[in-house]
Amino acid sequence: MARRGTSLKLAILSRDAGLYSTRRLVEAARERRFAVRVLDPLRCHLKIAPGKFELRHKGRALEHFDAVIPRIGVSITRYGVAVLRQLELLGSFTPNPSDAFLLARDKLRCQQLLASLGIAMPPTVSGDSPEDTDALLKLLGPPPHVIKLNQGAQGIGVVLAENRAASRSVIDSFRSLKADFIAQQFIAEAGGRDLRCFVIGNRVVAAMQREAKANDFRANLHSGGKASPVKISAAERAMAVRAAQAVGLGIAGVDLIRSAGGPLLLEVNASPGLEGIESVTGIDVAGRIVDFVAKGVPH
């Protein structure tokens, strides 16, 4: 395996080398004397032929990379993951394989998988026909309801509907945009707080509690929430690790809430940000990611 001070060649898929998470990963790789390059997925183009794959960046051929860390935004998921898959086909190791990345981005599919494994989560419904909206909401139960875009992130496309009429209105709006959605039971006792558990391999290496700002229910930091260090229970730790591994991710941000019946899974994030978790906990998460990736590279 590649170790500190060796000639590991690492690629980071990111649209912007100046973003905090990308910058920290570059710093951590250089501290370990690894060669690292940031590739903009949208500036990559692919050639595919039987038994032969090529990848170019900004028109130039690329060297082989031992490993790749994907930092792919939601808006470029489809093509970004195609680039990641091309790198896998070219022999690069990644802690978050393309299929696992796509699974994590599909909230409905992810919920189905994790529920099939018995992982506790808020009751969730989905439906496609406008004619069945009332039946769908009846199946979910009494409001409030949380309605989410199936491929949203950072709290964007997440709406709290206080009554059934509001739920119908939000669902109709999403359908008018031809957007896939899921609806979940609102867990009031969580009090607008959730837990972000940062999983690397088989461990939660850092955790923080996020709390929604006044007059909001979304605890995401991008939505104005605030964060603080938190001590998580053994059950919460085990749930976070199990969820990440079930999806197939070596690196994940797993979001949980605390309910009267114990922890509930909200979602699994395949490209979790580092700024909040590092600033709140003081833990060098970027360094732990790079060390984990280096250990995964075959001799």
Side-chain angles (χ1 to χ4, degrees):
M1 67 181 65
R3 290 185 173 84
R4 188 182 289 262
T6 66
S7 57
L8 179 81
K9 293 180 180 178
L10 175 65
I12 300 172
L13 289 181
S14 173
R15 293 228 61 207
D16 187 351
L19 293 173
Y20 179 93
S21 299
T22 304
R23 189 174 74 248
R24 286 286 297 121
L25 290 168
V26 170
E27 290 170 356
R30 288 177 176 164
E31 286 172 4
R32 290 151 177 79
R33 301 179 185 176
F34 297 153
V36 58
R37 184 169 176 185
V38 178
L39 304 178
D40 179 349
L42 297 189
R43 295 301 306 276
C44 292
H45 47 283
L46 324 174
K47 184 176 181 180
I48 304 162
K52 185 177 181 181
F53 301 92
E54 294 182 35
L55 178 65
R56 293 179 179 261
H57 184 249
K58 298 181 180 179
R60 297 181 180 179
L62 291 171
E63 59 191 290
H64 170 73
F65 293 102
D66 298 303
V68 55
I69 300 174
R71 300 287 314 168
I72 299 169
V74 171
S75 64
I76 64 164
T77 296
R78 185 191 64 82
Y79 192 73
V81 170
V83 173
L84 174 61
R85 186 177 295 112
Q86 190 86 346
L87 284 161
E88 291 176 288
L89 291 166
L90 287 166
S92 299
F93 166 75
T94 180
N96 288 355
S98 53
D99 286 344
F101 205 101
L102 282 176
L103 173 58
R105 282 282 159 87
D106 185 336
K107 288 185 175 69
L108 177 58
R109 185 180 171 201
C110 204
Q111 296 286 98
Q112 287 174 317
L113 169 66
L114 297 175
S116 75
L117 299 175
I119 295 176
M121 61 184 65
T124 303
V125 299
S126 181
D128 192 60
S129 173
E131 297 176 5
D132 296 327
T133 298
D134 286 336
L136 186 71
L137 293 175
K138 183 178 180 181
L139 181 65
L140 180 58
H145 302 139
V146 177
I147 305 168
K148 304 178 179 181
L149 289 176
N150 194 35
Q151 295 191 335
Q154 300 177 347
I156 298 171
V158 181
V159 180
L160 175 63
E162 297 281 1
N163 54 60
R164 196 174 295 273
S167 296
R168 282 197 301 270
S169 178
V170 173
I171 289 172
D172 288 344
S173 296
F174 281 170
R175 283 190 171 130
S176 71
L177 297 171
K178 300 189 183 305
D180 293 332
F181 67 90
I182 60 173
Q184 293 182 318
Q185 201 174 77
F186 177 64
I187 308 300
E189 63 264 31
R193 294 181 293 272
D194 71 11
L195 307 176
R196 163 57 61 91
C197 304
F198 207 106
V199 177
I200 301 178
N202 60 2
R203 295 182 57 212
V204 175
V205 301
M208 63 181 175
Q209 178 174 270
R210 303 181 297 188
E211 185 172 356
K213 65 181 180 180
N215 301 317
D216 201 346
F217 75 102
R218 298 169 300 172
N220 307 70
L221 300 187
H222 286 85
S223 303
K226 62 181 181 179
S228 58
V230 66
K231 184 176 181 179
I232 60 174
S233 68
E236 290 162 347
R237 194 175 300 273
M239 176 179 283
V241 171
R242 189 180 180 209
Q245 292 182 338
V247 176
L249 297 171
I251 298 166
V254 180
D255 296 339
L256 312 176
I257 54 174
R258 288 169 167 168
S259 76
L264 300 177
L265 179 87
L266 288 182
E267 61 183 75
V268 179
N269 192 319
S271 191
L274 303 184
E275 186 169 9
I277 199 81
E278 287 196 334
S279 62
V280 167
T281 65
I283 295 171
D284 178 12
V285 177
R288 297 193 184 196
I289 289 173
V290 172
D291 288 339
F292 176 73
V293 172
K295 290 177 182 177
V297 175
H299 287 287

